Amino acid sequence: MAPNKQQIGMHNDEGDFVELYIPRKCSATNQLIHATDHAAVQLNVGDVDDSGNYTNTYKTYCFSGFIREKGGSDQALNRLTLRDRILREC
């Protein structure tokens, strides 16, 4: 007999389903970053206001080890920050 979906996974004291591992996706390629990819990085880029003060918000970018090995993470970070209007083109 197959187990019920309610029984599978982690549950807290109230019985709510709690997942311990949430996989990340590479911001450049949209591929899943495996738990064993020890070369993967996650960068938090802080938002600033017009006077240059940190606004307590940030955007998160994840890069897989594959992108970093090929040397494409710096170009991808520039492209993504231009898209999110963190950087401006000169």
Short mmCIF file of all heavy atoms in Angstrom, two decimals, residues 10 70 74:
data_model
loop_
_atom_site.label_atom_id
_atom_site.label_comp_id
_atom_site.label_asym_id
_atom_site.label_seq_id
_atom_site.Cartn_x
_atom_site.Cartn_y
_atom_site.Cartn_z
N MET A 10 8.53 16.22 6.36
CA MET A 10 8.72 16.73 7.71
C MET A 10 7.48 17.51 8.15
O MET A 10 6.91 18.24 7.37
CB MET A 10 9.94 17.66 7.75
CG MET A 10 11.25 16.98 7.45
SD MET A 10 11.78 15.89 8.75
CE MET A 10 11.98 17.03 10.09
N LYS A 70 33.03 28.49 -16.09
CA LYS A 70 33.17 29.02 -17.45
C LYS A 70 33.52 30.50 -17.47
O LYS A 70 33.75 31.07 -18.52
CB LYS A 70 31.87 28.80 -18.25
CG LYS A 70 31.49 27.36 -18.40
CD LYS A 70 32.54 26.60 -19.18
CE LYS A 70 32.15 25.16 -19.35
NZ LYS A 70 33.21 24.35 -19.89
N ASP A 74 30.49 36.95 -13.80
CA ASP A 74 30.62 38.41 -13.74
C ASP A 74 29.77 39.08 -14.81
O ASP A 74 29.09 40.08 -14.55
CB ASP A 74 32.08 38.84 -13.84
CG ASP A 74 32.77 38.31 -15.08
OD1 ASP A 74 32.25 37.37 -15.70
OD2 ASP A 74 33.85 38.83 -15.42
#
